[in-house]
Amino acid sequence: MSTQTLLIYNTLTRQKERFEPLNAPNVGMYVCGPTVYGDPHLGHARPAITFDVLFRYLKHLGYKVRYVRNITDVGHLEHDADDGEDKIAKKARLEQLEPMEIAQYYTNRYHAAMDALGCLRPSIEPHATGHIIEQQQLVKDILDHGFAYESNGSIYFDIEAYNKKHRYGILSGRSLENIKDASRELDGVGEKHNQADFALWKKASPEHIMRWPSPWSDGFPGWHCECTAMGKKYLGTEFDIHGGGMDLVFPHHECEIAQAVASQGKPMVKYWMHNNMITINGQKMGKSLGNFITLEQFFTGNHEKLSKAYSPMTIRFFILSAHYRGTVDFSDEALQAAEKGLEKLMTAISDIERLPLAADCSIETQKVLSPLRQKCYDAMNDDLATPQVISHLFDACTIVNKVLDHQLDICEEGQKELREVMHLFAFDILGLKDDHSTANQEREEAYSKVVDMVLDLRAKAKAAKDWATSDQIRDALADAGFEVKDTKDGVTWKLNK
């Protein structure tokens, strides 16, 4: 086990807390996954990348992590309310397909996009439709403890009954009265005792495709049930981390907490973690606002807000350049800056292998390299401060470029430390990779052969004291983007990108 001390911000307590697993070295982590009724978009990428970095870092620290991420393929109704048509079923009806065809199609597309973004697959990826029995048992337990009621074949969570013994609203900071006041804006209560009550099981209307038999009716589970039921099944009655987007704090995660306590008498989750939203011009990205961009559109550049295609690693770098709890405002200019930043980092990592070595490191080199590893650890330990990690890696990039320009010296030991730290934090922990590493290597090899041949001609011209030809070759290379330097150790060159 690593000796590093990780602090993470717990949404429940609203402060950074030292991460202390319930059963170290085992760690249970549950993250709300996608609702698979549409193409994955930038909003899907942020939680996936955020918790992928946490997954990677916890494993690096020596923990044995069981990472569960669900697939919502039933019960996600229009407007996320308790009434209306299931979004997947609606799409299936319109396209004359089976609902599971729709779910599988978009699940495959989600996986392909997340793979491209460098996200590791979770340990377990349960589907809501595969755990109807577990969700029904959860509903039975809540009914048995007196925190739910049946109404016309549907089961609703009784928030007022729950609030008398516990507190509803501890995650979002809302009071029951505020929730009830907000709910009064809706017309009537229908089957519910209170408009703020939420569905645990819904009786299916005659035209509803996705339905299962239950003790109460042929129907389907409420949206909030699946995460509570599947979290308990795969991680136990208590587990360490539950994550998701900040938009899930209320009502989804608030309802999860209430369901867990109502069913088993105690909370299920120790640390609640939430990533913030991605915005466009200060507005949350969404279909209803007309500012919705899918990941495929980013990868192909096929969108009016994009000037070009952007690689998956550019998207990942863009997201990691902001702290996961801060907002990220999208713009084409911001992506262009991320692309340049990623290229700078990848080029420097590649250039480590061709650094000229000296007997000793320069003092400036030592000042950057000696604390570099721990600075990166300190940033990660401070609630996954990935922007600071990137900043420290950029400091290392400056050293690489100065050594290449013969402004600083680096020894073999320093080169080894630089290589290890850059690979560890850029590749293993941040999950970055060179999208075009093979192509770049082939290009560099071709460049090297051509430039070396031209420089050989220049050397012969200099030997013959043909200074005009020598200068002409140097200037021609400069015009083509190659920087040539004559040093005491010989001639060096690099391609200015």
Side-chain angles (χ1 to χ4, degrees):
M1 293 291 296
S2 172
T3 58
Q4 302 296 325
T5 301
L6 172 62
L7 298 178
I8 57 177
Y9 184 86
N10 191 346
T11 309
L12 187 63
T13 61
R14 294 166 179 77
Q15 62 184 5
K16 293 179 185 178
E17 297 180 8
R18 177 171 178 165
F19 180 63
E20 295 178 315
L22 295 165
N23 186 30
N26 299 300
V27 172
M29 181 169 81
Y30 189 102
V31 175
C32 287
T35 301
V36 286
Y37 61 85
D39 275 329
H41 52 78
L42 202 58
H44 287 120
R46 194 168 196 198
I49 291 171
T50 295
F51 293 102
D52 178 66
V53 170
L54 177 59
F55 184 34
R56 288 169 178 269
Y57 191 55
L58 289 174
K59 291 201 299 180
H60 170 70
L61 295 181
Y63 294 110
K64 183 179 179 182
V65 186
R66 177 175 290 175
Y67 173 16
V68 181
R69 184 181 66 201
N70 68 296
I71 295 289
T72 299
D73 54 5
V74 65
H76 215 301
L77 304 180
E78 291 290 346
H79 312 300
D80 297 336
D82 288 328
D83 296 301
E85 189 171 4
D86 186 292
K87 293 178 181 179
I88 296 174
K90 179 180 180 181
K91 201 170 188 72
R93 176 175 54 78
L94 293 174
E95 298 186 20
Q96 296 184 321
L97 296 170
E98 283 290 329
M100 287 300 100
E101 285 185 88
I102 297 292
Q104 189 63 56
Y105 174 78
Y106 287 113
T107 298
N108 293 345
R109 293 180 69 80
Y110 175 80
H111 284 154
M114 297 307 112
D115 289 346
L117 290 169
C119 295
L120 303 175
R121 293 287 181 98
S123 313
I124 304 173
E125 193 173 55
H127 290 232
T129 53
H131 297 78
I132 300 299
I133 293 175
E134 288 82 1
Q135 293 177 77
Q136 289 182 353
Q137 184 59 55
L138 173 70
V139 176
K140 290 176 184 177
D141 292 340
I142 295 173
L143 277 167
D144 290 345
H145 288 100
F147 296 114
Y149 57 88
E150 181 177 357
S151 180
N152 296 326
S154 294
I155 308 296
Y156 294 98
F157 191 93
D158 192 332
I159 288 183
E160 285 199 345
Y162 176 83
N163 204 56
K164 288 177 182 178
K165 293 188 177 181
H166 307 284
R167 181 193 162 198
Y168 184 81
I170 59 173
L171 186 66
S172 62
R174 305 186 186 199
S175 69
L176 181 59
E177 287 307 311
N178 288 338
I179 295 169
K180 289 167 66 177
D181 287 343
S183 299
R184 289 191 185 104
E185 296 177 5
L186 302 173
D187 293 331
V189 297
E191 299 177 338
K192 303 178 184 180
H193 294 173
N194 188 301
Q195 186 62 51
D197 294 346
F198 58 90
L200 298 173
W201 184 265
K202 282 291 294 180
K203 180 180 180 180
S205 58
E207 67 275 9
H208 201 98
I209 305 172
M210 303 177 79
R211 61 173 68 215
W212 291 264
S214 80
W216 317 289
S217 64
D218 279 4
F220 52 92
W223 168 40
H224 310 302
C225 288
E226 63 182 275
C227 293
T228 307
M230 294 189 293
K232 180 183 292 188
K233 178 178 178 67
Y234 295 111
L235 298 174
T237 57
E238 294 179 277
F239 59 88
D240 298 297
I241 299 170
H242 195 316
M246 205 168 281
D247 56 332
L248 297 178
V249 170
F250 186 88
H252 185 47
H253 289 166
E254 197 74 78
C255 293
E256 280 196 61
I257 290 176
Q259 289 173 159
V261 174
S263 64
Q264 64 183 28
K266 61 182 179 181
M268 187 178 292
V269 179
K270 185 175 182 181
Y271 304 97
W272 287 88
M273 296 181 67
H274 295 89
N275 63 274
N276 213 323
M277 300 294 99
I278 293 179
T279 60
I280 297 181
N281 297 324
Q283 290 184 307
K284 179 185 173 183
M285 183 178 288
K287 291 181 180 178
S288 61
L289 297 174
N291 59 4
F292 184 82
I293 307 177
T294 69
L295 288 172
E296 183 178 12
Q297 288 172 323
F298 279 106
F299 299 160
T300 62
N302 186 25
H303 192 278
E304 61 182 10
K305 292 185 180 293
L306 301 173
S307 63
K308 56 181 291 186
Y310 292 98
S311 73
M313 282 301 108
T314 297
I315 302 299
R316 187 178 181 103
F317 187 84
F318 168 68
I319 288 174
L320 293 177
S321 295
H323 191 270
Y324 78 91
R325 287 193 290 111
T327 56
V328 173
D329 196 48
F330 158 82
S331 69
D332 191 64
E333 293 75 17
L335 281 180
Q336 290 180 30
E339 185 176 58
K340 290 178 181 178
L342 177 63
E343 185 175 20
K344 175 183 176 181
L345 180 59
M346 292 298 110
T347 299
I349 292 176
S350 176
D351 285 344
I352 292 173
E353 304 308 320
R354 65 185 188 95
L355 292 178
L357 300 181
D360 298 299
C361 288
S362 301
I363 294 176
E364 183 180 339
T365 305
Q366 292 175 345
K367 284 183 178 179
V368 173
L369 290 188
S370 295
L372 179 62
R373 186 186 296 262
Q374 192 55 50
K375 279 186 174 181
C376 291
Y377 272 125
D378 289 345
M380 287 300 299
N381 291 335
D382 186 16
D383 194 30
L384 309 182
T386 56
Q388 280 66 50
V389 175
I390 292 172
S391 176
H392 297 321
L393 295 181
F394 277 163
D395 290 340
C397 292
T398 300
I399 294 298
V400 170
N401 292 330
K402 286 186 175 182
V403 172
L404 285 175
D405 288 342
H406 297 279
Q407 298 176 30
L408 293 175
D409 291 332
I410 192 169
C411 60
E412 185 176 356
E413 184 179 348
Q415 181 196 40
K416 179 183 177 183
E417 175 68 4
L418 187 60
R419 181 192 300 115
E420 288 182 358
V421 173
M422 296 283 270
H423 280 249
L424 170 62
F425 285 94
F427 297 152
D428 298 344
I429 293 175
L430 295 187
L432 298 169
K433 60 184 178 182
D434 192 340
D435 277 323
H436 310 293
S437 57
T438 301
N440 285 343
Q441 183 178 357
E442 292 174 350
R443 184 183 64 179
E444 292 289 346
E445 289 175 355
Y447 285 159
S448 181
K449 291 177 182 179
V450 173
V451 174
D452 287 345
M453 180 182 67
V454 174
L455 289 177
D456 184 56
L457 295 175
R458 180 172 179 263
K460 290 178 180 178
K462 289 179 68 177
K465 297 185 179 182
D466 184 356
W467 310 119
T469 300
S470 172
D471 291 344
Q472 185 181 15
I473 291 173
R474 182 197 60 203
D475 293 343
L477 286 171
D479 290 341
F482 294 92
E483 182 180 341
V484 178
K485 286 190 176 183
D486 294 304
T487 71
K488 63 181 181 179
D489 299 319
V491 180
T492 65
W493 65 270
K494 69 176 183 179
L495 176 62
N496 291 322
K497 299 180 179 181

